[in-house]
């Protein structure tokens, strides 16, 4: 197979592949910076928790209106946001630690989700909520994913400085009277929004992979926050492209294929990235003069 | 205190203030005031309530009892260096960016960092002895160098009131001397500086006023007067008592 047929032709030939690629591009632009901030805040697992928390909302939306994109998205968004806000509130006003608080609420939410999904039997459409349908992204879904990515980048540009300070030195932000709680909430809204965008394409179980794997890989390539976010987006898009090709040529489900390619990128980064990878650790270069 | 002093305004006035946690007092019945432009050391053994007092002054902790007045001071007029900052020292941010945060009052969330502001940050770095460190990531700094960065940030904050909680602990003599020079400069600029400290020689040499506490106030006034042997003995005698079954304090009632 020549490179053109392997790498480009599927996208030229099939509209659904092009749509899927555009969806991946939008997802990576939104998820890149959000994931990096989650990692920097030591909240990597919170992304995971929230992605599960989205499930009952999407399932209830499905029960109300069938496979309606808007209703399922709104439901998922509300459920995720409820878990995020309740967990954050409990962590702020009681001595409960944030991670424990998130674990408690997302488990409750997840149990509801599983309950709803299982009472509905083996409904094929509902399986889409769990496993996504990136190869069947329609105009409306594409518009939603692209809008969320655009909104995310705009919000990041506006409150990025605040988010970085809130993460780096929350005590200072409090002391200068900065709106720490509002920034934190805005950030959680962004996380949930991007997970909702992801679940259309990849399913609730895989959505968080597009957010965390590239972000975790990026720290082996870049140092400061902006380059980290750019690297993370680039890795996410590359994983989307590679995953789509993999699923096309090998007839594999697209969601797991994309996340597995991202996982491959993570392992390559840990092994051979230029900053602190295993390679730099075991093949150290000569030290400098000063 | 003399007439000249009486004319000066108080920055913080405390009237029978009790501060603590879960109803247990850590600073018990403190009355007095910190005057504008004064340089005061807060001295006492570990657990005597120095940090608690500073948290009360900045408003992170509300008094359990009594009245604490800030006399028109706004939150952003107070620069505060906590004993254990919640700073993530591994965060990927440069020295320059950290120092620039001192301009928060000017730049806030949205406004751009102008060249003039950046130049001020560079001057602040020179003032704390970190010339040329701007581009270094903060992970790469030693504890002493990082403390210099925090002082540079406070220089930019340009606040009339500065609270320092054990700023020289675990820092070498050279760094301490440099940063003490910054404190003296603030005093010369008529700012109000309150610092929790435990090196008594350092206090005698650099701080005109001292508050000696050991959960209860022991003495408050000029340093030479306060740091007398009998006061220090008294401070050591006070137990670091936390009694789970303590009775309700009656002193504020009578
Ligand atoms: N967050 C807290 N919760 C409960 N008790 C505290 C807390 N912080 C300090 N304390 C108690 O308050 C007392 C005074 O502490 P602190 O103000 O930190 O003393 P210092 O700074 O003089 O060493 C100590 O007995 C300490 O155990
Ligand atoms: Mg202390």
């Amino acid at each position: 197979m020549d490179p053109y047929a392997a790498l480009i032709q599927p996208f030229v030939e099939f509209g659904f592949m092009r749509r899927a690629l555009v969806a991946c591009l939008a997802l990576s632009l939104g998820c890149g910076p959000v994931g990096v901030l989650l990692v920097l805040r030591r909240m990597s697992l919170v992304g995971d928790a929230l992605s599960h928390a989205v499930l009952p909302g999407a399932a209830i939306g499905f029960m109300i209106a069938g496979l309606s994109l808007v209703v399922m998205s709104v439901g998922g968004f509300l459920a995720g946001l409820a878990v995020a806000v309740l967990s954050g509130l409990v962590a702020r006003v009681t001595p409960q630690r944030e991670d424990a608080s998130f674990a408690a609420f997302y488990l409750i939410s997840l149990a509801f989700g599983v309950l709803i999904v299982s009472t509905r039997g083996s409904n094929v459409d509902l399986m889409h909520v769990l496993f996504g349908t990136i190869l069947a992204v329609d105009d409306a879904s594409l518009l939603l994913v692209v809008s969320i990515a655009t909104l995310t980048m705009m919000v990041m540009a506006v409150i990025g400085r605040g988010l970085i300070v809130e993460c780096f030195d929350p005590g200072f932000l409090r002391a200068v009277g900065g709106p720490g709680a509002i920034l934190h909430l805005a950030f959680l809204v962004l996380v949930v929004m991007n997970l909702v965008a992801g679940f259309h394409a990849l399913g609730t179980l895989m959505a968080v992979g597009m957010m965390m794997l590239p972000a975790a890989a990026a720290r082996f390539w870049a140092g400061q926050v902006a380059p980290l976010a750019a690297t993370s987006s680039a890795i996410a898009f590359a994983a989307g492209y590679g995953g789509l090709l993999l699923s096309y040529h090998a007839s594999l489900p697209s969601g797991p294929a994309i996340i597995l390619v991202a996982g491959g990128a993570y392992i390559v980064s840990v092994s051979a990235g230029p900053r602190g990878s295993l390679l730099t650790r075991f093949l150290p270069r000569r030290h400098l003069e000063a | 205190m003399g007439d000249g002093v009486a004319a000066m305004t108080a920055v913080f006035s405390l009237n029978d203030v009790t501060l603590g946690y879960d109803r247990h007092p850590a600073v018990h019945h403190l009355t007095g005031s910190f005057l504008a432009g004064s340089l005061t050391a807060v001295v006492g053994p570990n657990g005597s309530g120095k940090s608690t007092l500073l948290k009360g002054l900045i408003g992170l902790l509300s008094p359990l009892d009594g009245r604490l007045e800030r006399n028109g001071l706004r939150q952003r007029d107070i620069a505060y260096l906590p004993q254990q900052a919640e700073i993530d020292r591994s965060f990927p941010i440069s020295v320059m960016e950290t120092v620039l945060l001192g301009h928060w009052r000017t730049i806030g969330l949205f406004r751009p960092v102008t060249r003039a502001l950046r130049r001020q940050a560079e001057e602040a770095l020179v003032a704390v002895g970190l010339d040329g460190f701007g581009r270094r990531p903060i992970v790469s700094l030693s504890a002493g160098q990082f403390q210099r960065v925090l002082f540079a940030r406070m220089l930019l904050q340009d606040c009339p009131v500065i609270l320092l909680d054990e700023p020289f602990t675990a820092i070498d003599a050279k760094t301490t001397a440099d940063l003490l020079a910054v404190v003296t400069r603030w005093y010369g600029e008529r700012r109000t500086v309150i610092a929790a400290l435990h090196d008594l020689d350092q206090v005698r040499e650099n701080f005109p006023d001292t508050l000696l506490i050991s959960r209860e106030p022991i003495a408050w006034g000029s340093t030479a007067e306060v740091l007398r042997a009998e006061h220090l003995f008294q401070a050591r005698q006070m137990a670091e008592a936390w009694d789970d079954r303590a009775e309700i304090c009656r002193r504020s009632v009578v």
Side-chain angles (χ1 to χ4, degrees):
Chain A
M1 196 159 33
D2 65 297
Y4 175 77
L7 302 177
I8 296 171
Q9 199 179 17
F11 298 102
V12 175
E13 207 162 303
F14 298 105
F16 71 87
M17 286 293 279
R18 280 200 297 280
R19 283 165 185 281
L21 193 65
V22 172
C24 282
L25 178 61
L27 271 181
S28 26
L29 291 175
C31 287
V34 171
V36 165
L37 277 174
L38 275 173
V39 170
L40 289 176
R41 286 170 168 256
R42 302 167 203 273
M43 283 172 60
S44 306
L45 293 174
V46 165
D48 195 35
L50 285 178
S51 75
H52 289 72
V54 163
L55 183 61
I60 290 173
F62 176 77
M63 276 170 46
I64 294 173
L67 196 63
S68 154
L69 168 84
V70 176
V71 179
M72 281 171 62
S73 299
V74 170
F77 179 72
L78 290 180
L81 200 63
V83 168
V85 169
L86 285 174
S87 315
L89 215 60
V90 168
R92 266 175 198 258
V93 302
T94 76
Q96 180 71 288
R97 296 182 60 114
E98 189 159 39
D99 58 339
S101 181
F102 264 97
F105 282 107
Y106 106 77
L107 286 167
I108 295 171
S109 185
L110 179 64
F112 267 119
V114 172
L115 197 74
I116 295 166
V117 170
S118 54
T119 52
R120 275 294 166 127
S122 62
N123 193 310
V124 178
D125 288 338
L126 206 45
M127 295 307 279
H128 288 167
V129 179
L130 290 175
F131 298 116
T133 51
I134 195 160
L135 294 180
V137 176
D138 57 11
D139 280 348
S141 318
L142 200 57
L143 195 65
L144 181 86
V145 174
V146 171
S147 306
I148 288 178
T150 311
L151 189 63
T152 303
M153 288 195 294
M154 279 177 355
V155 173
M156 280 287 180
V158 174
I159 65 170
R161 181 190 291 159
L163 291 177
I164 288 172
V165 180
E166 220 261 316
C167 174
F168 162 58
D169 191 353
F172 177 79
L173 193 67
R174 230 177 297 133
V176 296
I182 294 173
L183 287 169
H184 192 68
L185 185 66
F187 177 64
L188 289 176
V189 169
L190 285 185
V191 175
V192 175
M193 247 169 46
N194 279 281
L195 289 171
V196 169
F199 94 69
H200 285 292
L202 305 162
T204 51
L205 296 180
M206 297 283 154
V208 72
M210 195 72 157
M211 199 176 271
M212 301 322 299
L213 280 169
R219 65 114 37 241
F220 294 100
W221 301 93
Q224 306 222 326
V225 179
L228 277 170
T231 309
S232 173
S233 287
I235 294 176
F237 181 59
Y241 172 74
L244 285 174
L245 284 180
L246 180 66
S247 92
Y248 175 84
H249 290 301
S251 309
L252 294 173
S254 54
I258 290 172
I259 303 305
L260 281 176
V261 173
Y266 176 71
I267 290 176
V268 170
S269 306
V270 174
S271 322
R275 283 171 174 265
S277 66
L278 297 174
L279 190 71
T280 59
R281 176 141 186 199
F282 292 114
L283 281 179
R285 292 190 293 167
R286 299 278 311 272
H287 70 88
L288 306 174
E289 216 164 64
Chain B
M1 292 183 197
D3 291 339
V5 177
M8 289 166 78
T9 48
V11 175
F12 298 108
S13 326
L14 298 88
N15 189 353
D16 203 24
V17 168
T18 295
L19 293 157
Y21 309 88
D22 289 334
R23 296 171 65 209
H24 291 278
V27 176
H28 218 175
H29 300 293
L30 180 61
T31 299
S33 43
F34 294 93
L35 297 182
S38 62
L39 173 55
T40 311
V42 180
V43 179
N46 281 332
S48 59
K50 303 182 293 293
S51 301
T52 306
L53 174 61
L54 294 186
K55 283 184 221 162
L57 292 180
I58 195 186
L60 288 177
L61 212 58
S62 325
L64 300 176
D65 217 338
R67 270 157 57 91
L68 195 168
E69 283 181 52
R70 288 189 192 83
N71 301 329
L73 216 60
R74 289 158 306 174
Q75 174 95 21
R76 57 183 208 178
D77 295 328
I78 310 175
Y80 169 57
L81 183 66
Q83 182 172 10
Q84 265 141 10
E86 304 164 65
I87 296 179
D88 177 1
R89 284 278 306 276
S90 65
F91 196 88
I93 189 172
S94 71
V95 167
M96 180 49 101
E97 287 169 313
T98 308
V99 174
L100 279 171
L101 293 180
H103 278 312
W104 190 268
R105 235 187 332 175
T106 319
I107 60 176
L109 275 178
F110 311 119
R111 282 179 293 279
V113 177
T114 62
R115 203 172 304 155
L117 295 178
R118 196 171 282 274
R119 198 161 45 239
Q120 283 176 28
E122 270 154 20
E123 285 162 15
L125 278 176
V126 174
V128 298
L130 285 183
D131 195 8
F133 274 65
R135 299 173 66 89
R136 292 264 296 263
I138 58 162
V139 224
S140 71
L141 300 184
S142 71
Q145 287 168 337
F146 190 66
Q147 198 73 344
R148 288 174 191 259
V149 170
L150 294 183
F151 266 73
R153 184 169 75 175
M154 284 191 288
L155 276 171
L156 290 194
Q157 276 183 273
D158 194 22
C159 289
V161 177
I162 296 156
L163 309 182
L164 308 170
D165 197 348
E166 306 214 11
F168 309 127
T169 306
I171 282 178
D172 71 8
K174 172 79 171 73
T175 306
T176 303
D178 288 355
L179 296 182
L180 264 173
V182 174
V183 171
T184 309
R185 169 178 155 188
W186 281 327
Y187 180 51
E189 292 166 348
R190 316 269 318 128
R191 297 178 206 269
T192 313
V193 183
I194 304 168
L197 295 166
H198 54 229
D199 180 338
L200 297 183
D201 292 330
Q202 191 182 71
V203 172
R204 286 198 183 92
E205 254 168 64
N206 300 284
F207 290 75
D209 291 314
T210 297
L211 163 61
L212 178 62
I213 51 174
S214 186
R215 306 171 67 79
E216 311 256 350
I218 292 172
W220 194 350
S222 78
T223 299
E225 185 64 27
V226 169
L227 294 186
R228 292 203 321 243
E230 75 247 38
H231 287 155
L232 294 173
F233 179 74
Q234 206 181 334
R236 276 195 299 273
Q237 293 304 303
M238 301 260 198
E240 289 192 28
W242 174 290
D243 185 349
D244 265 334
R245 287 162 305 171
E247 302 271 340
I248 290 172
C249 176
R250 300 271 169 207
R251 262 185 278 173
S252 39
V253 185
V254 290

